[in-house]
Amino acid sequence: MKRRYKFTDKNQSRLGMLSCAAGTVSLLLTGGVVAAAYMEYGQAGKFIAVLGFLAILLSLAGMYYGIRGLMEEDTYQLFPYLGCVQNGVVLTAYVMVYILGW
């Protein structure tokens, strides 16, 4: 049996994990919304618009938690970085849709 030693008191950031989860859900919602709008030739309706707005709000909350997770001391930074990247991609996608009119 292999022994594992831990030479640090660091733990995973809970806010970072929350940010990563919010980013994943937001990314999946965005993909679904874009696919539904594409399948309906841009006439998907109000329900899809509400889901898109929910994805934006979830992504903003995830970005907030990711930034807060990056500020925590004595925690690993993987999940906060990953959450910030995921949420940044979603927010960038919605800005592109709004500005470019995709």
Side-chain angles (χ1 to χ4, degrees), residues 22-23 25-27 29-30 33 48-64 87-88 90-98:
V25 171
S26 181
L27 202 58
L29 260 174
T30 301
V33 164
I48 298 299
V50 169
L51 284 179
F53 187 69
L54 180 67
I56 291 173
L57 292 179
L58 191 60
S59 182
L60 287 171
M63 185 66 81
Y64 172 75
N87 291 306
V90 170
L91 290 174
T92 302
Y94 277 108
V95 167
M96 298 284 277
V97 166
Y98 183 74

Side-chain angles (χ1 to χ4, degrees), residues 17-102:
M17 287 189 275
L18 184 63
S19 170
C20 193
T24 301
V25 171
S26 181
L27 202 58
L28 291 174
L29 260 174
T30 301
V33 164
V34 169
Y38 181 76
M39 297 286 270
E40 296 292 325
Y41 301 105
Q43 303 298 322
K46 293 179 185 175
F47 181 70
I48 298 299
V50 169
L51 284 179
F53 187 69
L54 180 67
I56 291 173
L57 292 179
L58 191 60
S59 182
L60 287 171
M63 185 66 81
Y64 172 75
Y65 288 131
I67 291 170
R68 291 274 313 267
L70 287 172
M71 292 183 203
E72 287 181 344
E73 294 181 9
D74 294 332
T75 58
Y76 293 111
Q77 301 295 312
L78 174 68
F79 285 115
Y81 278 127
L82 193 60
C84 284
V85 167
Q86 284 177 332
N87 291 306
V89 165
V90 170
L91 290 174
T92 302
Y94 277 108
V95 167
M96 298 284 277
V97 166
Y98 183 74
I99 290 176
L100 297 177
W102 284 355

Side-chain angles (χ1 to χ4, degrees), residues 5-9:
Y5 294 101
K6 187 175 178 183
F7 293 108
T8 183
D9 291 334

